[in-house]
Amino acid sequence: MTKIVRTKTQATGGITEAERAALEAHAGKWIANAMRTDPADPGKVKAAVHALYAAADLPAPRVVLVPSPRVMAFAWAFASAIWHWRGATSAATDAATYAATDAATREATSAATYEATDAATRAATYAATSAATYEATYVATREATYAATREATYAATRTATDAATRVATDAKAVNDLVRLMIACLPRWVDVTQEGNMWSSWPCYLSSFRDVLGVDLPEHAKFAAWEACAIEGGFRYIHEKFCLVSDRPEVLKVDEQNRPHCADGPSHRWRDGWCLYHWHGTRIPDEWIEQPGSLTAAVALKVENLEQRRAACEMLGWAKILDELHAETVDADADPSIGTLLEVRLPDTTRPARFLRVRCGTGRAFALRVPRAMNTAREANAWTYFRSPQDFNPQFRT
């Protein structure tokens, strides 16, 4: 049996059951941090960012707390373009400066702590701790926080860039500064640090200190990175200034922690920017805010397959079949056995078949069944992996 060793500079041999439970609680705290909706405190954000720059031996920047990641992305593009314009430096020089500032803060805090922690542990402890902290926090929060926000912000800047580019191309006289601003917009994704929306990483690094008792010199500087992850959302690092996004005021998820809300936005920031999701899939806001706008005809013409699936789930196949005037193939006298319907759907070469049934609560719903089904009883039996001869609805549960 591998001996478990715990000192201030070493944690080897795996983890104990008590440590496993403590790591689970530790992950829970960081999951809650990723899902926070309280407003960021400007004073705490400023102190955390100044500490981060100090850890990298960089001068304290001007810190600006902005209401949402979308505002941060646009503000970054415009500020960076203006900064470049005033300094008359080359784009290559600017890019090198951004990268160097980002790299310096990461390497002095997060990366240095990772390397030191890795050296102080062995494979068994590393794997067990990673699974209990990083992976648990990542799985629980990524879709609803980092992924959803990053994707939506990128889409917003890309749309604005495309529109502005068309205008700039058509206009006879658009100055170089405006063109530079447009060019900067989609690049925000390359120069951000993730804040509380990537809580899995500081959760993992801090677990060695807080749970396993490892106390390394690198933890002193790591505390600045940790504070930034606690006090604010996405942040943009620049030599002279730092933009930090506030947290959302609304963040709703389903039972699998995927972004979801059936009657409003899944995310809303304090400037009014909203995102809408259905069980993890980004959907147009009008599908929620104007329910009548989502019809069977609209749902079945959506090009994105995930969005089409979400639209059909939102409407329910029973309603879709009614709207499409599905033809009856066979109707059983028992409504709990149901009615076998046939309907032609977009992107299909042959009509599809559905079983429409009414459950014990009186709710009607529809299930897609193989085309080989010829009667409602046969289709209903198929849903229970039975043959029609062996199927007795009195014994269904």
Side-chain angles (χ1 to χ4, degrees):
M1 183 176 180
T2 304
K3 181 181 179 182
I4 292 179
V5 175
R6 295 288 180 268
T7 68
K8 293 291 185 181
T9 58
Q10 188 177 24
T12 60
I15 60 175
T16 67
E17 287 305 311
E19 288 172 338
R20 191 183 304 278
L23 288 169
E24 183 177 344
H26 183 79
K29 291 191 297 184
W30 280 98
I31 290 171
N33 180 68
M35 309 293 278
R36 288 174 67 178
T37 56
D38 56 310
D41 183 315
K44 291 181 179 179
V45 168
K46 181 178 180 179
V49 170
H50 282 181
L52 182 67
Y53 277 65
D57 296 323
L58 296 172
R62 179 180 180 183
V63 181
V64 181
L65 180 63
V66 297
S68 71
R70 183 176 63 172
V71 170
M72 186 197 75
F74 280 89
W76 169 79
F78 299 154
S80 297
I82 292 169
W83 191 268
H84 161 78
W85 192 258
R86 286 179 175 175
T89 57
S90 69
T93 301
D94 284 346
T97 300
Y98 305 152
T101 307
D102 177 50
T105 53
R106 287 181 186 272
E107 289 173 10
T109 57
S110 171
T113 306
Y114 170 75
E115 292 174 6
T117 300
D118 187 54
T121 63
R122 291 288 185 270
T125 306
Y126 167 88
T129 306
S130 177
T133 57
Y134 178 84
E135 293 171 25
T137 309
Y138 179 91
V139 169
T141 65
R142 185 181 187 277
E143 279 196 55
T145 57
Y146 173 81
T149 306
R150 185 182 175 94
E151 175 191 343
T153 307
Y154 181 78
T157 55
R158 172 57 66 186
T159 299
T161 302
D162 291 345
T165 302
R166 286 193 296 272
V167 172
T169 301
D170 295 338
K172 292 183 179 180
V174 178
N175 68 45
D176 290 342
L177 176 57
V178 174
R179 294 182 189 278
L180 183 58
M181 288 178 176
I182 295 170
C184 286
L185 266 176
R187 295 193 57 198
W188 76 273
V189 294
D190 301 324
V191 289
T192 55
Q193 295 175 356
E194 298 81 8
N196 80 307
M197 292 203 164
W198 196 276
S199 286
S200 51
W201 187 238
C203 173
Y204 167 72
L205 292 179
S206 62
S207 67
F208 289 93
R209 177 197 63 202
D210 297 344
V211 177
L212 303 186
V214 175
D215 186 7
L216 303 171
E218 288 77 7
H219 281 136
K221 289 188 174 181
F222 168 70
W225 181 277
E226 185 178 23
C228 285
I230 292 171
E231 301 303 341
F234 280 101
R235 62 185 175 272
Y236 167 69
I237 299 292
H238 184 273
E239 181 186 9
K240 299 296 184 181
F241 61 88
C242 179
L243 302 174
V244 182
S245 171
D246 198 358
R247 308 180 191 96
E249 63 178 351
V250 170
L251 201 171
K252 296 185 177 181
V253 297
D254 63 12
E255 66 283 351
Q256 296 181 39
N257 271 0
R258 296 174 299 186
H260 172 78
C261 185
D263 57 5
S266 58
H267 302 67
R268 185 176 68 234
W269 279 264
R270 290 169 180 83
D271 61 353
W273 187 40
C274 294
L275 307 180
Y276 293 79
H277 288 82
W278 181 268
H279 295 297
T281 298
R282 177 90 183 275
I283 59 173
D285 57 356
E286 61 266 24
W287 289 5
I288 296 293
E289 299 294 352
Q290 304 168 33
S293 67
L294 181 58
T295 64
V298 170
L300 295 174
K301 289 180 181 177
V302 175
E303 292 187 5
N304 181 284
L305 292 180
E306 283 301 307
Q307 287 189 328
R308 187 189 304 174
R309 175 193 57 76
C312 291
E313 286 182 6
M314 293 171 70
L315 286 173
W317 277 108
K319 183 176 181 180
I320 291 175
L321 295 173
D322 283 342
E323 287 191 30
L324 296 181
H325 306 294
E327 296 181 359
T328 299
V329 176
D330 177 68
D332 197 277
D334 183 350
S336 67
I337 296 295
T339 302
L340 183 63
L341 302 170
E342 186 172 89
V343 66
R344 185 170 291 280
L345 302 174
D347 304 328
T348 59
T349 56
R350 304 175 66 190
R353 291 194 170 181
F354 290 83
L355 177 68
R356 182 168 58 197
V357 296
R358 191 171 298 278
C359 67
T361 65
R363 184 175 66 90
F365 61 96
L367 304 169
R368 191 164 182 173
V369 297
R371 272 192 52 79
M373 303 292 104
N374 292 312
T375 68
R377 177 175 288 273
E378 181 183 15
N380 206 319
W382 175 84
T383 66
Y384 289 92
F385 306 100
R386 300 281 185 87
S387 69
Q389 297 78 17
D390 298 333
F391 181 57
N392 188 339
Q394 333 180 25
F395 298 108
R396 290 181 304 163
T397 57

